[in-house]
Amino acid sequence: MSKRILVVLSEYGYWGEELVGPIEAFDARGYRTTFMTPHGKRAQALPPSLDSEYIDPPLGRAVTSRDMARRARALDDSSRLDNPLSLAEMIPERPYFSALNHLRELESYHSNLAAAVQELLGGFDALVIVGGSGPIVDLANNERLHELVLAFARADKPILAECYGVAALAFARDWDARASLLWGKHVTGHPKEYDYKDGTGFVGVDFNMGPPPYPLEYILRDATGPGGAFHGNVGKEVSVVVDFPFITARSTPDSVTAGEMLIEVLENGLRRYGW
């Protein structure tokens, strides 16, 4: 049977190749993909990711080929990303502890959450979180997304996260234990050497954040703890790490391999790769 993949995108901009790489791999295998954004707003590619002349400041070179820019633009311009699922509509929000009837609201929350995640788990075989700068804004600390990540992990279903999308895995944690799901795991992600010093921007807002608001590498090193590890693989062309149920990809050029590794996990039972 065809695999079904739930792909989560930021509403503040995704990096074109980081969507194209996995999607084309899934399409080639006949997988069915469904898109989701935080509020059901259509996702858009970050303009630099569609520009083959754009020079990535940390790397000092263009990171998008003309062919990839063409493929990313074609996908971004297509109707395929129209009408995504809404995370806010499908996953309930945990009530504030200051709510007047907190206990009853919390009971309702847990009941509704269980039904919601069960419906999504029944419909999909894997979860993908696409990278780019947008996830910094609306995916990294999105508690609804954290609940979805927790549900897929508990169901032993694979989760692929790329670039700054990996932060959502680091922050997803049991409400009581508060330990990251990545504790004891091996992951990759945007290393400090790849971070901008200026120019971190987003779709839909006129805002240059300068550098990223946090060094993802530091967060991942802390989240994995002494039993796990962060692998930046600086100086290597590709960095993808599989430590089931997680498949993590460092940045733009790793997206094709990341999609292929998720296929290996789903079809051939791959559990470890990349370190």
Side-chain angles (χ1 to χ4, degrees), residues 10-92:
S10 168
E11 294 175 356
Y12 287 86
Y14 68 88
W15 195 271
E17 187 169 349
E18 293 178 25
L19 177 60
V20 171
I23 289 298
E24 289 187 345
F26 302 156
D27 289 350
R29 300 297 297 172
Y31 290 5
R32 290 176 287 168
T33 53
T34 298
F35 299 100
M36 172 181 273
T37 61
H39 296 95
K41 180 181 176 182
R42 190 193 192 280
Q44 292 180 286
L46 292 155
S49 73
L50 305 178
D51 181 3
S52 62
E53 303 299 318
Y54 175 75
I55 302 298
D56 183 83
L59 297 180
R61 61 175 174 81
V63 294
T64 303
S65 68
R66 289 184 179 179
D67 181 56
M68 181 54 72
R70 175 189 59 78
R71 286 148 60 192
R73 187 175 295 279
L75 178 57
D76 194 55
D77 287 344
S78 75
S79 61
R80 191 167 180 180
L81 302 184
D82 294 351
N83 304 310
L85 299 178
S86 169
L87 192 59
E89 291 182 4
M90 301 196 74
I91 302 293

Side-chain angles (χ1 to χ4, degrees), residues 162-192:
E162 303 170 285
C163 191
Y164 284 108
V166 184
L169 305 186
F171 294 141
R173 49 196 69 200
D174 178 82
W175 185 262
D176 295 315
R178 306 289 173 103
S180 174
L181 274 184
L182 296 183
W183 192 259
K185 293 293 185 178
H186 290 257
V187 301
T188 190
H190 216 265
K192 194 74 174 73

Side-chain angles (χ1 to χ4, degrees), residues 13 19 26 43 67 71 76 94 127 129 132 143 148 166 175 179 190 199 202 216-217 221 226 249-250:
L19 177 60
F26 302 156
D67 181 56
R71 286 148 60 192
D76 194 55
R94 182 181 291 271
L127 177 67
I129 304 172
E143 289 188 355
L148 195 56
V166 184
W175 185 262
H190 216 265
F202 312 97
L216 181 58
E217 175 180 339
R221 286 187 181 278
R250 178 180 60 193

Side-chain angles (χ1 to χ4, degrees), residues 92-107:
E93 185 175 50
R94 182 181 291 271
Y96 278 120
F97 277 80
S98 60
L100 292 177
N101 196 6
H102 178 259
L103 184 58
R104 296 286 83 77
E105 289 194 22
L106 190 61
E107 290 171 344

Side-chain angles (χ1 to χ4, degrees), residues 30 47 84 87 91 107 122 129 134 136 145 148 156 169 212 233 241-243:
L87 192 59
I91 302 293
E107 290 171 344
I129 304 172
I136 292 171
L145 179 57
L148 195 56
D156 219 29
L169 305 186
N233 290 321
V241 171
V242 179
D243 194 353

